[in-house]
Structure formats: structure tokens, C-alpha cells
């Protein structure tokens, strides 16, 4: 299971086939789904999506003017799907969320907080 999880983390922007991950873990697809959910508390697709969106959030702090480019970089072909899923997870559209995060980071720097 750890090899499959590591593969998803290392290759989050790539298309993912559950059959390949199950084979990597040495399990049937149904057993893999069951064990994966037991370890991560989410499905493989949900896990990949969360990693993609967390990485996008980090990238957007540095590249706020390239929302579509960041979405594509983390594996989304559709900017609208990227925006929709980002908003669902972080409760704000990518541009507004990254602006808020940058402002919070700037404030911590000014106040010399960790």
C-alpha cells in the first residue's frame, strides 16, 4: 500500500489508473480500494485530488496571476473544473484564496511572527 500511496504523491499531476495502483500494491482492485480507504480515509481519486489542490494552493501564493496555468501544472485539463474543485475544498476561488494567503503571509512577515 505504501508504494501505491507514494506513487500518487510523486505523480499527482499524471493520469492515474486504479488497476495499476492495485497491481503496484499486489492486490485486486476491490481489495485495494478497501485498504486504501482504511489507510487514507478517502478513495484514491479523492486522495489524488486533495494532493493536487494542496500543491496548487502552494503554487498560487507564488504565481497568483496564473490560475489556469497552475491548474494545468497540477493535472487539470479544464480550468473550470479546477476552479470548481478548488472552491469546494478551500471555500473560495483560487485567485481570492491565494490573495488572502499572501496577505496573511505578508502580515506575519511585518509582525515578525513564525
Amino acid at each position: 500500500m505504501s508504494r501505491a500511496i507514494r506513487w500518487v504523491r510523486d505523480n499527482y499531476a499524471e493520469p492515474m489508473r486504479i488497476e495499476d495502483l492495485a497491481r503496484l500494491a499486489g492486490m485486486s482492485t476491490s481489495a485495494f480500494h478497501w485498504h486504501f480507504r482504511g489507510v487514507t480515509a478517502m478513495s484514491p481519486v479523492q486522495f489524488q485530488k486533495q494532493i493536487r489542490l494542496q500543491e496548487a494552493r502552494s503554487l498560487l501564493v507564488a504565481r497568483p496571476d496564473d490560475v489556469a496555468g497552475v491548474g494545468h501544472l497540477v493535472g487539470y485539463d479544464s480550468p473550470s473544473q479546477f476552479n470548481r474543485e478548488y472552491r469546494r475544498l478551500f471555500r473560495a476561488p483560487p485567485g481570492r484564496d491565494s490573495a488572502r494567503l499572501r496577505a496573511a503571509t505578508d502580515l506575519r512577515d511585518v509582525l515578525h511572527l513564525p
Side-chain angles (χ1 to χ4, degrees):
M1 186 57 60
S2 64
R3 285 186 298 204
I5 290 171
R6 190 172 330 115
W7 188 94
V8 175
R9 282 194 173 131
D10 292 345
N11 301 282
Y12 61 85
E14 301 300 319
M16 179 180 72
R17 289 178 24 109
I18 303 302
E19 297 82 10
D20 295 338
L21 292 175
R23 193 173 312 114
L24 190 60
M27 299 178 186
S28 69
T29 55
S30 61
F32 177 76
H33 269 285
W34 190 83
H35 285 285
F36 194 94
R37 188 174 291 275
V39 171
T40 65
M42 58 187 82
S43 74
V45 172
Q46 290 168 325
F47 184 75
Q48 180 191 42
K49 186 185 305 184
Q50 185 161 336
I51 290 171
R52 283 179 172 182
L53 293 171
Q54 290 287 353
E55 183 64 22
R57 194 179 209 195
S58 296
L59 291 170
L60 283 168
V61 171
R63 298 169 60 176
D65 298 330
D66 191 16
V67 172
V70 166
H72 184 71
L73 193 64
V74 299
Y76 284 91
D77 292 330
S78 165
S80 61
Q81 179 159 0
F82 170 65
N83 282 311
R84 190 171 42 253
E85 291 182 2
Y86 190 100
R87 182 188 303 241
R88 191 176 299 135
L89 182 62
F90 298 117
R91 304 199 189 289
R96 190 170 44 190
D97 184 55
S98 64
R100 183 186 61 76
L101 291 171
R102 278 191 315 286
T105 300
D106 292 345
L107 182 59
R108 279 196 305 269
D109 290 345
V110 167
L111 298 175
H112 305 290
L113 299 172

